[in-house]
Amino acid sequence: MSDRKKYASVATDDMGKFTMVFEQVSELLSKVEARQLFPDIIGQSKVMRGVFNQIVKVAPKESTVLITGETGTGKELIARSIHQHSKRQDQPFVAINCAAIPEALLESELFGYEKGAFTGANTKKPGKFEMADGGTLFLDEIGDMPMETQAKVLRAIEENTIERVGAIKPTKVNVRFIAATNRNLEKMVESGLFRQDLFYRLNVFSIVLPPLRHRREDIPLLTEKFLNEIGKERHLSSEALQLLLTNDWPGNVRELKNALESAAVLTDEKILPSNLPFSLKRNESHNGSTFHSNEAIVDANGNADLDSQIKNYERRIIVDALRRSGGVQVKAATMLGIKERSLWHRIKKHQINIAEFKP
């Protein structure tokens, strides 16, 4: 099986897709290195440290980067980090959301226009390409770009030139390109909705961002950050934190932040489950996600210790993988993106009885 077909089949598995990160890097950054190099991004989980290592490797290069991931996973934060660790860090970082601009205006926003190019064009205006000259241009939601505009962007990337609307001659630009999307561009190419040549031109180096449900151990850290940003002194009850840890978060980090802001409006002190949005509590009742008594995230004194939270969550996802694999450790290790020996050590550490999961 070719590498392309192998990765395509892996991508069909919601969990296996994100183990690709570890196939692309030889080692992970330590937690200390991650905090030092990426202070603006909260992520101590293994999968996020894999993403950070990819950034460290690609940032100094001039390669075009394609960032993929669900809505709300922080694709622009990753793009900015690539720019900040690149040789262009002192030059402009210009972002444009291709989905937020009407199709009729997108071309003039990207390439600019000359005076008199159309009704209302009273002065010459540079586009995003020219504004990013010498720096980085971030094309967010590239999958929503119209086909006609895609052709012009492809030419700009390949020839390092752009033409303002109404211009007679082209303008040279020196730009590094980073693109992002929450869509499956390969399927869009197959359906004729995205240009194949542009896809291959953008997909020089790919970074796949994991959804929040695959990095739940980062939720306590993200929660602490967001509550600090709110300003007033608030903290979560252990029951509320359990609810956050077991929610599936279809809106990812953005949804978590909004949920905490909503809860903070309702209380000036401790945030209780009743303060959280109804959708979280409804999701828990539907999927039955809850911690068992032997996985409690509070210590004997009732303190929500972060190390204990992470330890208990690790045990929970291992148990879940073993249950799904019928107790077959090789399969469970593959689901978790770790080696079988590493899983064996973790099973021993958490005193998990494998026999309970055998059919």
Side-chain angles (χ1 to χ4, degrees), residues 112-118 121 123-125 164-169:
Y113 53 80
E114 296 288 343
K115 180 179 179 180
F118 49 81
T123 59
K124 179 174 69 175
K125 180 186 175 183
R164 295 194 191 117
V165 177
I168 299 175
K169 59 181 182 179

Side-chain angles (χ1 to χ4, degrees), residues 243 255 258-260 262-263 273-282:
L243 202 55
E255 184 186 3
N258 291 341
L260 291 169
S262 174
S274 59
N275 303 132
L276 294 169
F278 177 70
S279 58
L280 271 68
K281 298 187 281 291
R282 181 178 58 191

Side-chain angles (χ1 to χ4, degrees), residues 114-311:
E114 296 288 343
K115 180 179 179 180
F118 49 81
T119 303
N122 299 321
T123 59
K124 179 174 69 175
K125 180 186 175 183
K128 300 296 185 182
F129 274 81
E130 287 182 84
M131 293 169 64
D133 191 29
T136 302
L137 178 62
F138 175 50
L139 300 169
D140 197 9
E141 302 303 347
I142 189 77
D144 292 274
M145 181 178 287
M147 292 289 283
E148 183 180 349
T149 309
Q150 289 178 32
K152 295 178 180 180
V153 168
L154 174 64
R155 180 182 177 188
I157 293 175
E158 290 183 335
E159 299 179 6
N160 294 315
T161 61
I162 56 102
E163 286 189 17
R164 295 194 191 117
V165 177
I168 299 175
K169 59 181 182 179
T171 302
K172 294 287 291 183
V173 290
N174 174 17
V175 175
R176 186 198 187 158
F177 298 94
I178 302 176
T181 183
N182 61 2
R183 299 193 177 200
N184 187 325
L185 292 187
E186 288 186 275
K187 287 187 177 180
M188 290 183 69
V189 168
E190 293 174 1
S191 303
L193 300 174
F194 198 86
R195 291 182 63 102
Q196 184 179 57
D197 46 8
L198 178 58
F199 170 69
Y200 288 128
R201 191 64 185 81
L202 293 172
N203 195 32
V204 176
F205 189 90
S206 178
I207 295 179
V208 181
L209 291 190
L212 190 54
R213 62 183 175 275
H214 288 163
R215 45 177 293 221
R216 295 180 195 264
E217 56 266 53
D218 290 330
I219 290 177
L221 297 173
L222 287 163
T223 298
E224 181 181 7
K225 175 180 183 291
F226 294 147
L227 289 179
N228 287 337
E229 288 178 352
I230 290 172
K232 295 181 180 179
E233 188 172 340
R234 291 178 180 83
H235 61 281
L236 285 172
S237 67
S238 59
E239 295 82 6
L241 183 55
Q242 287 181 24
L243 202 55
L244 298 185
L245 287 167
T246 56
N247 189 55
D248 281 343
W249 299 112
N252 295 293
V253 177
R254 186 181 297 132
E255 184 186 3
L256 172 63
K257 182 177 182 180
N258 291 341
L260 291 169
E261 288 183 359
S262 174
V265 171
L266 299 175
T267 179
D268 291 328
E269 297 179 355
K270 181 183 289 187
I271 294 176
L272 303 173
S274 59
N275 303 132
L276 294 169
F278 177 70
S279 58
L280 271 68
K281 298 187 281 291
R282 181 178 58 191
N283 180 64
E284 182 193 37
S285 65
H286 283 182
N287 63 24
S289 298
T290 186
F291 282 86
H292 300 294
S293 59
N294 63 341
E295 296 174 325
I297 60 173
V298 295
D299 60 22
N301 298 318
N303 298 317
D305 176 67
L306 178 59
D307 289 337
S308 296
Q309 295 167 27
I310 294 175
K311 179 180 177 181

Side-chain angles (χ1 to χ4, degrees), residues 17-18 20-21 24-25 38 47-59 63-70 73-75 77-83 176 178-183 202-210:
K17 178 170 62 174
F18 299 98
M20 289 169 58
V21 171
Q24 296 175 9
V25 295
F38 302 95
V47 68
M48 282 305 296
R49 285 184 285 128
V51 170
F52 294 155
N53 199 30
Q54 289 181 294
I55 295 173
V56 169
K57 289 179 181 296
V58 75
S63 302
T64 301
V65 180
L66 178 63
I67 305 170
T68 58
E70 296 178 7
T73 48
K75 294 184 284 293
L77 266 179
I78 299 301
R80 288 185 181 277
S81 293
I82 294 171
H83 174 74
R176 186 198 187 158
I178 302 176
T181 183
N182 61 2
R183 299 193 177 200
L202 293 172
N203 195 32
V204 176
F205 189 90
S206 178
I207 295 179
V208 181
L209 291 190

